[in-house]
């Protein structure tokens, strides 16, 4: 495997990764609380770390990737009450939707997807250790973590206990010893799901689940913990306090990774600003792979500006300018792949032997870029260069040795897919992708497919009768409808113009 460097939020610098077990990476990512449809912010974080995982595999590492689901929580209970639905059924429904949506963006299922309700005994185990270690206290069936007892609290987020005292004053719970203390176990309220515990019936607080799940699935100490930047405080800070409080100061994650925020024209995403877009809406507007392509065109740590325009509220019409540009660029790659495939299919095996040296750069360039804190934008530039070379060879490679040209194109086709796969793109067949895209654009632009077919048939007949003028008129009529024609050996195909 290839060594790599990553930016570690704990050390505030890029460092060389040193595994606990040679060749292996154990990675934990905080997953969703499933009470509502997944939105673009969820997708952005899931894509960022799925990309890290794929890159690690591309670099030759064995990855165990754990991403949890919070399937019991205040938000789930509240939403279930509003809808008159069982909270477990509601959460299961949104977990299935989440996984369906993430699959559209090429996010692979995690190696393990632990759920809170399946880890209650492990959670009780961690809380019991914290009480035994003098770091947590029970008040009438609620258990709180006593933050002041954990000497290094605040180190990840760079805050002192004084800052925290100041910040937490607004929401003082009378039963807590100090404002920054947080709930590990909440006593049962009437009508809420609850489990037996040494402190009476209740349910876990939010933060404790990740401490219980990491130790269960990755051990007391593991390699990488990841999540959105918004989770650094308090969630990740609390996870560290819990896990190290239970198992010792040298335990828990060796490296911390956080992905940047998605901004909408400089503004953070928030429900109150009306710029929270659901995954379903995005997949329908531009297709899932365009969002993936857009995400990997940026570095996971940098804040990303996302250009959208809400054209109308009712009916809801949104133009995702950034994603439409990504969709056009992605379609060009698929067109290149389709041309390469067609070229190779025509002439059989090109055999072993030399290829153009420029075509040998893509994989090593991608290795180097991705081993440097998963630099996907640099990898994208290498993909663009390779596709450009392929198109040049397809268009004007005639002066070149025939077999070298064929072998080079075959190599480019293979490597474009290999490197694309390392960042989660180019995994469809070009024909399927382009057909799906055409169907999407036909719907969006209300193109009458039957009319297009009849005009193409009329043009074919006109051309057959050598009526070139009528043929050109029909081409122009179709262009006015937003339809571009492609004449090939097998007849005339068409696409929707952007
Ligand atoms: Zn977590």
């Amino acid at each position: 495997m290839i060594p790599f460097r990553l930016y570690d939020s704990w050390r505030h610098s890029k460092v060389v990764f040193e595994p606990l077990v040679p060749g292996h990476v154990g990675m934990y990512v905080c997953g969703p609380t499933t009470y509502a449809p997944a939105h673009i912010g969820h997708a952005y974080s899931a894509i960022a770390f799925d990309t890290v995982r794929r890159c690690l595999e591309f670099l030759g590492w064995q990855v165990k990737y754990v991403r949890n689901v919070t399937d019991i929580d205040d938000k789930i209970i509240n939403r279930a009450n509003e809808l008159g639905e069982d909270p477990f059924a509601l959460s299961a429904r949104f977990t299935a939707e989440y996984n369906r949506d993430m699959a559209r963006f090429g996010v692979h299922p995690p190696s393990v997807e632990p759920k809170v309700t399946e880890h209650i005994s492990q959670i009780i185990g961690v809380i019991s250790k914290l009480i035994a270690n003098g770091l947590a206290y029970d008040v009438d069936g609620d258990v709180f973590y006593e933050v002041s007892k954990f000497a290094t609290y605040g180190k990840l987020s760079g805050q002192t206990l004084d800052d925290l005292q100041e910040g937490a004053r607004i929401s003082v719970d009378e039963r807590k010893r100090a404002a920054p203390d947080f709930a590990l176990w909440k006593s049962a309220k009437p009508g809420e799901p609850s489990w037996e515990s040494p402190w009476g019936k209740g349910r876990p607080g939010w933060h404790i689940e990740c401490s219980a799940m990491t130790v269960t699935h990755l051990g007391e100490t593991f390699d990488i913990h990841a999540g959105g930047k918004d989770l650094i405080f308090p969630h990740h800070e609390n996870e560290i306090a819990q896990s190290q409080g239970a198992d010792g100061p040298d335990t828990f994650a060796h490296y911390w990774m956080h992905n940047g925020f998605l901004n909408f024209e400089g503004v953070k995403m928030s429900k109150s600003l009306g710029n929270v877009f659901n995954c379903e809406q995005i997949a329908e507007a531009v297709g899932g792979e365009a969002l993936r392509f857009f995400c990997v065109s940026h570095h996971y740590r940098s804040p990303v500006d996302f250009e959208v325009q809400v054209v109308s509220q009712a009916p809801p019409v949104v133009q995702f300018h950034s994603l439409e540009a990504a969709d056009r660029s992605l379609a060009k790659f698929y067109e290149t792949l389709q041309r390469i495939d067609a070229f190779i299919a025509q002439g059989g095996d090109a055999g072993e032997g030399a290829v153009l040296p420029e075509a040998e750069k893509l994989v090593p360039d991608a290795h180097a870029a991705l081993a440097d804190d998963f630099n996907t934008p640099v990898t994208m530039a290498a993909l663009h260069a390779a596709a450009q070379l392929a198109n040049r060879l397809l268009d004007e490679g005639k002066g070149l040795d025939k077999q070298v040209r064929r072998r080079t194109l075959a190599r480019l086709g293979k490597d474009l897919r290999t490197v694309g796969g390392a960042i989660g793109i180019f995994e469809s067949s070009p024909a399927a992708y382009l057909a799906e895209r055409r169907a999407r654009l036909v719907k969006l632009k209300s193109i009458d497919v039957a009319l297009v077919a009849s005009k193409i048939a009329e043009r074919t007949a006109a051309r057959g009768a050598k009526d070139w003028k009528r043929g050109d008129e029909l081409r122009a009529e179709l262009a006015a409808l937003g339809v571009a024609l492609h004449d090939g050996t097998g007849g005339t195909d068409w696409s929707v113009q952007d």
Side-chain angles (χ1 to χ4, degrees):
M1 68 272 158
I2 297 171
F4 67 96
R5 300 197 305 153
L6 77 168
Y7 183 88
D8 180 12
S9 321
W10 178 259
R11 296 170 182 87
H12 305 287
S13 63
K14 233 190 250 184
V15 295
V16 175
F17 175 80
E18 287 172 26
L20 281 164
V21 179
H24 290 255
V25 181
M27 183 167 176
Y28 184 88
V29 182
C30 296
T33 300
T34 45
Y35 70 101
H39 59 64
I40 187 170
H42 299 125
Y44 190 63
S45 184
I47 291 170
F49 296 116
D50 178 73
T51 303
V52 168
R53 174 198 193 176
R54 282 169 177 259
C55 292
L56 290 172
E57 287 165 350
F58 173 63
L59 295 172
W61 295 79
Q62 291 272 338
V63 185
K64 182 171 181 183
Y65 189 88
V66 183
R67 189 188 67 210
N68 70 315
V69 170
T70 303
D71 65 344
I72 191 71
D73 167 270
D74 289 342
K75 289 179 198 145
I76 293 170
I77 294 169
N78 293 342
R79 187 82 187 116
N81 287 342
E82 277 166 36
L83 297 174
E85 194 175 348
D86 172 68
F88 298 127
L90 175 115
S91 172
R93 183 157 62 84
F94 283 117
T95 301
E97 275 190 28
Y98 176 86
N99 284 324
R100 178 208 62 196
D101 285 342
M102 293 313 127
R104 285 171 165 171
F105 306 127
V107 173
H108 283 160
S111 321
V112 190
E113 189 180 53
K115 298 181 179 70
V116 181
T117 55
E118 294 163 0
H119 291 74
I120 300 294
S121 68
Q122 290 92 333
I123 287 171
I124 290 171
V126 180
I127 300 175
S128 303
K129 270 190 182 179
L130 290 171
I131 294 177
N133 293 350
L135 291 161
Y137 54 94
D138 168 13
V139 187
D140 308 328
D142 285 80
V143 181
F144 296 100
Y145 191 101
E146 191 162 11
V147 167
S148 64
K149 293 276 173 71
F150 186 70
T152 51
Y153 192 84
K155 189 170 181 285
L156 180 70
S157 56
Q159 301 183 80
T160 65
L161 214 50
D162 285 345
D163 299 336
L164 297 171
Q165 292 280 12
E166 198 58 40
R169 243 174 225 167
I170 323 133
S171 61
V172 180
D173 182 331
E174 295 289 305
R175 296 162 311 156
K176 295 201 285 190
R177 290 182 189 164
D181 293 358
F182 59 91
L184 297 168
W185 187 261
K186 299 175 171 188
S187 56
K189 294 196 190 77
E192 286 186 0
S194 62
W195 290 263
E196 295 290 349
S197 84
W199 320 285
K201 280 190 143 207
R203 62 186 167 91
W206 172 38
H207 313 292
I208 192 67
E209 68 189 63
C210 292
S211 290
M213 288 165 180
T214 48
V215 75
T216 304
H217 298 286
L218 294 169
E220 283 183 7
T221 304
F222 58 97
D223 296 301
I224 301 174
H225 194 312
K229 233 180 197 161
D230 51 335
L231 296 181
I232 293 176
F233 184 82
H235 184 56
H236 290 163
E237 204 71 82
N238 291 352
E239 284 189 31
I240 294 168
Q242 292 162 167
S243 294
Q244 295 188 346
D247 298 322
D250 297 323
T251 61
F252 209 44
H254 273 187
Y255 303 93
W256 284 87
M257 293 180 74
H258 292 99
N259 72 291
F261 286 130
L262 205 53
N263 292 318
F264 294 84
E265 293 176 345
V267 184
K268 216 185 124 183
M269 184 173 69
S270 82
K271 286 217 169 74
S272 61
L273 293 170
N275 59 10
V276 179
F277 302 106
N278 287 345
C279 293
E280 171 106 52
Q281 192 181 358
I282 286 167
E284 281 193 359
V286 292
E289 196 174 341
L291 176 65
R292 178 83 186 215
F293 187 92
F294 171 78
C295 293
V296 295
S297 302
H298 299 85
H299 192 256
Y300 76 92
R301 274 194 291 125
S302 44
V304 171
D305 257 321
F306 190 76
E307 286 173 41
V308 284
Q309 191 186 348
V310 179
V311 180
S312 92
Q313 294 284 3
V317 180
V318 181
Q319 273 206 290
F320 297 98
H321 295 303
S322 303
L323 295 184
E324 285 160 14
D327 177 45
R328 281 193 290 275
S329 193
L330 178 60
K332 292 223 165 63
F333 273 107
Y334 271 118
E335 282 162 8
T336 303
L337 288 170
Q338 192 172 45
R339 290 184 71 199
I340 296 173
D341 294 352
F343 183 86
I344 301 302
Q346 274 167 27
D349 192 359
E352 296 290 309
V355 299
L356 288 183
E358 304 103 282
E360 294 185 312
K361 281 165 50 104
L362 179 55
V363 169
D365 282 358
H367 279 151
L370 297 175
D372 182 18
D373 196 29
F374 313 101
N375 200 327
T376 55
V378 169
T379 307
M380 280 296 254
L383 287 169
H384 277 285
Q388 221 167 26
L389 173 61
N391 281 317
R392 211 175 68 220
L393 289 176
L394 288 161
D395 291 339
E396 53 186 79
K398 299 216 165 79
L400 209 72
D401 175 88
K402 235 178 154 183
Q403 291 304 84
V404 171
R405 183 185 182 209
R406 292 183 55 72
R407 277 197 299 267
T408 303
L409 280 163
R411 170 71 171 271
L412 287 168
K414 179 170 155 273
D415 289 357
L416 278 166
R417 286 182 164 99
T418 302
V419 173
I423 55 177
I425 53 177
F426 311 155
E427 292 188 313
S428 297
S429 84
Y433 179 84
L434 293 168
E436 184 271 332
R437 179 170 191 264
R438 187 171 87 179
R440 182 159 34 80
L441 291 174
V442 158
K443 200 172 147 203
L444 279 177
K445 300 193 175 192
S446 312
I447 289 171
D448 182 343
V449 178
L451 180 69
V452 171
S454 83
K455 280 187 188 290
I456 290 176
E458 197 188 335
R459 177 172 171 270
T460 306
R463 284 159 62 91
K466 301 203 186 306
D467 185 353
W468 310 117
K469 188 167 162 283
R470 183 64 192 137
D472 288 346
E473 278 169 14
L474 284 157
R475 175 186 279 276
E477 282 173 28
L478 284 161
L481 297 172
V483 171
L485 299 181
H486 312 283
D487 294 318
T489 46
T492 302
D493 198 7
W494 61 280
S495 63
V496 180
Q497 280 175 322
D498 288 306

